[in-house]
Amino acid sequence: MSIVHLNTAGAGLMSPRTVEAISAFMSREATLGSYETELEYDELLNRQLYRRAARLLNTEPGTIGFFSSATEAWVSILSKLQFPKGARVWVSTSEYAANLIFFNYLKQSRGIRVEVIPATDQSPLDLDWVERNISDDLFLVSVSHIPSCCGVVNPIEALGAILRQSPALYVVDACQSLGQLTLDVQDIQCDLLTGAGRKFLCGPRGSGIAYVSPRLLSRLALNFADLHAAHTDGLINHVAVSGARVLEIAEKSFSALVGLHNALDEYAQEGAAMATEPYALLTGELKRLPQLRLLCDGYAQSGIVSFVPDGMPPQEFVARARELGLNLWAGTAAHTPLLLKDLGATHFVRASVGRRVSVHQAELALEKIRQIL
Ligand SMILES: Cc1ncc(COP(=O)(O)O)c(C=O)c1O
C-alpha cells in the first residue's frame, strides 16, 4: 500500500537524493573514519551549507548557525540574552508552548512581564493594537510565523516594519514556515529566526537552523563557546570565530547536516509552489464536510489544515487513517495554548501538505477521510 503523507508539519519525507547523500556520508564514515570523513566534507559542511541557508533567508553566511532542533536553536540563543528585570515582552497568540515555557521561567527569575498581542477576526495579530501600544520600554517581541496547530499565517513583515520604530528585539519562530513560505530576513527585519530542517524543508531529523542578526549577536552574553570557536591557555578564553557559529556546539550530527545541505539545494531548485493546489483542494473539500469543525477557519492559512471530527476522538481518527495508508497527525492543543484555549478539545486532526504532495494524492486523502467519517 502506498502512503499519502500529510504530516509534513511533523516531519516531511526526505527525497531519495537526500537519503542517498546521508547514506553515502555514513558509509564513508564506516570505512574511512568519522573525523576523516568530516575532513573530506570540509567544503560542504563549513562553507556550502552556510551559503545555502543564507541564500534561502537572504542574508550573509556569518549570520547562520546550525543546531540539532528548532527548540535548541531558539532556547540556547535566547538563554544568552540578558533580560532586564521587569522587561516587557510581547508574544503572538500562535506562540509555540516551549517558547512560552521559556518566558514563564523568566517571569520567575527576572520578573519579566509577558503580554499577548491580541488577534482580530481577520488577523492573528492586531497590528493597530501594536501601533497603539508600542513604546521604548518594549524589550522583545516573539512571534510564531505559523503555529504548530494549523496553517494561520502571522503577518511578520508588517509587524517587523512597525517594530522598527522601537528598540525592541524581534524573534520569529519559523519552524512551520521554513521551506513552505518565502522567508527574507531583510523584509521581516527580525533579529532571530529559527526553524527545523525536518519539516517543510524535507531534511533529516536532528537539524535546526538559526539566523541571528548582528544586533542580537552583539547583545548576547556568551557564557560558553565550544572548541570549534574558542581556545584557552587554561586561564583566559580566546574566541576565534565571529558570527552566529560561535553559538553552535562543536559536535553535531554531520550526516544530518549533509542531508540538510541536499534538502536546501532541492528546495532552492523546486520552490514551494507545487503544494498550493493540493492544499487548496484539500482545504476547500474539508470545509464542505459537515462532520468536521475546522480550526481557525476565519484566518488565511497555508500548508496545514486541522479539524475536530464529530463523534470520534482525533487519535482514533488518525489511527484509522493510518490503517488506510493516510498519514495525518493527532495534534495536541496544549502545544499552542493561547490560540486554542477555547477549542474545547485536547486534540485535533492535523493534515499538512508538503510541496511534493500531488493533486491526485490530495484527492486520495479526501476519499479516505470521507471513508472514516
Ligand atoms: C511553531 C513551532 N515552533 C517550534 C517547534 C519545535 O521544533 P523542534 O521540534 O525542531 O524543536 C515546533 C515543532 O513542531 C513548531 O511547530
Side-chain angles (χ1 to χ4, degrees):
M1 178 170 56
S2 71
I3 286 172
V4 178
H5 184 73
L6 299 188
N7 189 19
T8 299
L13 294 185
M14 288 187 286
S15 73
R17 237 184 72 194
T18 296
V19 175
E20 172 52 34
I22 295 169
S23 55
F25 181 86
M26 290 185 115
S27 303
R28 196 74 185 142
E29 282 187 303
T31 49
L32 188 68
S34 283
Y35 281 35
E36 293 73 11
T37 305
E38 187 189 333
L39 287 176
E40 259 194 6
Y41 277 69
D42 174 60
E43 178 63 20
L44 184 153
L45 288 167
N46 291 312
R47 278 166 290 280
Q48 289 175 7
L49 180 63
Y50 291 83
R51 284 203 290 266
R52 276 203 184 148
R55 212 174 304 138
L56 173 72
L57 300 174
N58 190 24
T59 183
E60 296 301 319
T63 61
I64 299 293
F66 289 97
F67 298 83
S68 64
S69 70
T71 301
E72 194 202 40
W74 196 97
V75 170
S76 69
I77 293 169
L78 289 183
S79 295
K80 292 180 166 58
L81 183 63
Q82 301 290 303
F83 283 71
K85 279 220 158 90
R88 195 168 162 223
V89 169
W90 286 355
V91 296
S92 59
T93 50
S94 296
E95 208 67 18
Y96 187 57
N99 307 352
L100 294 170
I101 289 170
F102 175 84
F103 289 129
N104 285 339
Y105 274 108
L106 281 169
K107 277 188 203 162
Q108 289 163 19
S109 61
R110 307 292 300 162
I112 70 162
R113 291 165 296 146
V114 178
E115 295 166 51
V116 182
I117 303 173
T120 68
D121 288 345
Q122 288 78 41
S123 170
L125 290 177
D126 184 343
L127 296 177
D128 290 337
W129 182 93
V130 170
E131 295 259 24
R132 283 197 309 278
N133 289 279
I134 194 164
S135 62
D136 282 353
D137 71 338
L138 187 60
F139 180 69
L140 181 140
V141 177
S142 176
V143 174
S144 294
H145 190 194
I146 296 182
S148 70
C149 62
C150 58
V152 168
V153 182
N154 283 263
I156 52 171
E157 288 88 358
L159 179 62
I162 303 172
L163 292 179
R164 286 309 100 206
Q165 302 163 25
S166 91
L169 293 163
Y170 181 25
V171 172
V172 173
D173 175 343
C175 201
Q176 295 295 359
S177 55
L178 185 68
Q180 192 199 148
L181 299 179
T182 301
L183 294 171
D184 179 331
V185 295
Q186 313 303 327
D187 285 348
I188 303 165
Q189 304 186 66
C190 57
D191 292 288
L192 177 65
L193 184 142
T194 52
R198 73 178 183 281
K199 294 179 187 283
F200 285 86
L201 275 178
C202 298
R205 295 191 79 164
S207 58
I209 302 177
Y211 157 77
V212 186
S213 75
R215 173 170 84 147
L216 175 60
L217 191 62
S218 71
R219 289 179 60 179
L220 296 178
L222 275 193
N223 53 357
F224 177 66
D226 208 347
L227 300 187
H228 66 293
H231 59 271
T232 179
D233 57 8
L235 296 172
I236 296 171
N237 296 337
H238 302 275
V239 177
V241 162
S242 60
R245 283 177 87 160
V246 74
L247 306 167
E248 294 179 357
I249 291 295
E251 177 58 16
K252 288 180 270 208
S253 171
F254 292 102
S255 57
L257 291 176
V258 166
L260 179 62
H261 172 265
N262 192 70
L264 285 166
D265 189 30
E266 290 178 344
Y267 181 72
Q269 287 170 25
E270 293 169 18
M274 282 144 69
T276 321
E277 206 186 329
Y279 178 73
L281 172 77
L282 185 71
T283 311
E285 290 302 313
L286 289 178
K287 275 185 189 171
R288 275 189 247 276
L289 295 173
Q291 307 95 318
L292 308 180
R293 178 162 56 100
L294 261 59
L295 265 54
C296 303
D297 197 16
Y299 294 147
Q301 300 201 31
S302 174
I304 308 174
V305 56
S306 298
F307 56 85
V308 178
D310 267 1
M312 188 185 302
Q315 296 93 325
E316 188 185 327
F317 192 100
V318 169
R320 303 257 298 260
R322 203 176 301 127
E323 281 165 19
L324 297 174
L326 171 61
N327 285 349
L328 301 167
W329 192 249
T332 308
H335 289 183
T336 325
L338 302 176
L339 195 61
L340 297 189
K341 64 180 183 314
D342 300 324
L343 182 68
T346 58
H347 289 81
F348 51 87
V349 179
R350 182 180 71 185
S352 47
V353 185
R355 68 181 186 277
R356 297 193 181 106
V357 172
S358 64
V359 168
H360 175 62
Q361 285 176 317
E363 281 164 350
L364 277 176
L366 283 162
E367 235 172 68
K368 292 172 200 289
I369 288 170
R370 288 193 194 97
Q371 210 174 316
I372 299 166
L373 290 169

